[in-house]
Amino acid sequence: MGSSSKPHTRLAWRLLGLATLSGVLAALLSPSIDGRSPLGWSLPPILLAVPVLPMVIFFVELARYLRTLDEMQRLVHLQAMFIQFAGSCLVVMTYGLLARAALVPDLPMSRVWPFMWTGIFWLWAGGLMLVRRRYE
């Protein structure tokens, strides 16, 4: 995967940046839904969809990219998505059980979803790095 992996690495960082931007925008804009914005303002409901735009770009670019890959590279991405899926499941299940046992704060989903959303993509990126290393 030597020098040919550089464009893949740049794209992966770009996609991760788009996912992170979506999560950050969601975290910043969502308090304005119920008037609890630290700045004391509310946004028109249509502007609350702004965090969705980077994710639309993310999925369009990822779909285009995946169509250019050979079968081995697609297998790498599939395995990375499995790591992401397994990691997400383990985090959600473990935290939910710990919260039910009152060992960690029982945070409402409406407050943590931007962080969970962004975390899913960081798990994908971590899985991608692990799987790529395996095949180098």
Side-chain angles (χ1 to χ4, degrees):
M1 291 197 138
S3 64
S4 67
S5 70
K6 287 201 188 260
H8 303 297
T9 301
R10 275 195 298 273
L11 179 65
W13 280 109
R14 176 169 162 66
L15 293 174
L16 192 55
L18 286 165
T20 302
L21 175 63
S22 176
V24 168
L25 287 171
L28 292 174
L29 297 177
S30 63
S32 73
I33 294 170
D34 55 11
R36 288 192 243 176
S37 169
L39 301 175
W41 42 261
S42 276
L43 290 176
I46 191 70
L47 291 180
L48 297 174
V50 168
V52 174
L53 296 175
M55 290 316 305
V56 169
I57 296 167
F58 173 96
F59 287 114
V60 168
E61 286 191 18
L62 183 60
R64 283 184 189 150
Y65 170 66
L66 290 175
R67 284 192 295 268
T68 69
L69 298 179
D70 63 27
E71 290 177 19
M72 181 63 187
Q73 291 170 325
R74 287 181 185 179
L75 177 63
V76 166
H77 278 275
L78 179 63
Q79 289 176 354
M81 285 190 286
F82 174 76
I83 291 170
Q84 173 271 311
F85 180 73
S88 298
C89 290
L90 292 171
V91 168
V92 169
M93 180 64 75
T94 302
Y95 194 90
L97 291 170
L98 292 173
R100 292 287 303 216
L103 297 172
V104 297
D106 190 3
L107 302 171
M109 181 62 76
S110 64
R111 298 281 181 241
V112 299
W113 67 268
F115 307 102
M116 289 178 62
W117 177 247
T118 306
I120 288 170
F121 295 95
W122 280 91
L123 282 170
W124 164 72
L128 195 55
M129 290 185 335
L130 285 172
V131 175
R132 280 186 175 165
R133 185 172 297 145
R134 180 175 157 198
Y135 290 109
E136 283 182 346

